[in-house]
């Protein structure tokens, strides 16, 4: 699970474009361990009190979370993506 601001006063808008992502889009994560590719399976909006989106499962997945940019910020955009190699076998 990765979280980030959609908008902030200090300019850390790391997920500014996340609400516009579409199912089927590729997400690439880069770290010292290498490059990891995921395909977006769902884009949903949940109230900030909904914590089930943080639950662990038995399959590898990437969950990206940011606020809905509506000035109230009490809802979250939740993007779920699966590794490219697992997506092909689904």
């Amino acid at each position: 699970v990765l979280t980030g601001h959609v908008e902030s006063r200090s300019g850390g808008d790391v997920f500014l474009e996340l609400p516009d992502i579409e199912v089927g889009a590729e997400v690439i994560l880069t770290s010292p361990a290498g490059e990891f590719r995921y395909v977006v399976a769902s884009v949903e909006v949940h109230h900030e009190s909904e914590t089930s989106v943080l639950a662990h499962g038995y399959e590898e997945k990437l969950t990206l979370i940011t606020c809905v940019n509506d000035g109230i910020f009490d809802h979250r955009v939740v993007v779920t993506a699966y590794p490219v190699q697992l997506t092909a076998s689904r």
Side-chain angles (χ1 to χ4, degrees):
V1 175
L2 297 174
T3 64
H5 289 293
V6 69
E7 176 183 304
S8 74
R9 294 182 191 144
S10 62
D13 308 336
V14 67
F15 282 160
L16 181 63
E17 297 179 20
L18 188 64
D20 299 323
I21 200 166
E22 296 181 1
V23 170
E26 187 174 61
V27 176
I28 302 170
L29 297 181
T30 304
S31 79
E35 185 176 270
F36 303 89
R37 294 176 177 269
Y38 296 84
V39 175
V40 174
S42 67
V43 180
E44 302 174 338
V45 175
H46 294 273
H47 189 268
E48 66 184 349
S49 63
E50 179 58 55
T51 59
S52 67
V53 299
L54 303 173
H56 290 270
Y58 293 101
E59 60 188 346
E60 181 182 351
K61 69 179 177 179
L62 171 66
T63 304
L64 305 172
I65 302 173
T66 195
C67 296
V68 171
N69 194 2
D70 61 0
I72 300 170
F73 305 108
D74 66 346
H75 283 78
R76 305 290 180 254
V77 174
V78 179
V79 175
T80 303
Y82 293 95
V84 169
Q85 67 272 17
L86 292 180
T87 305
S89 65
R90 285 179 155 244

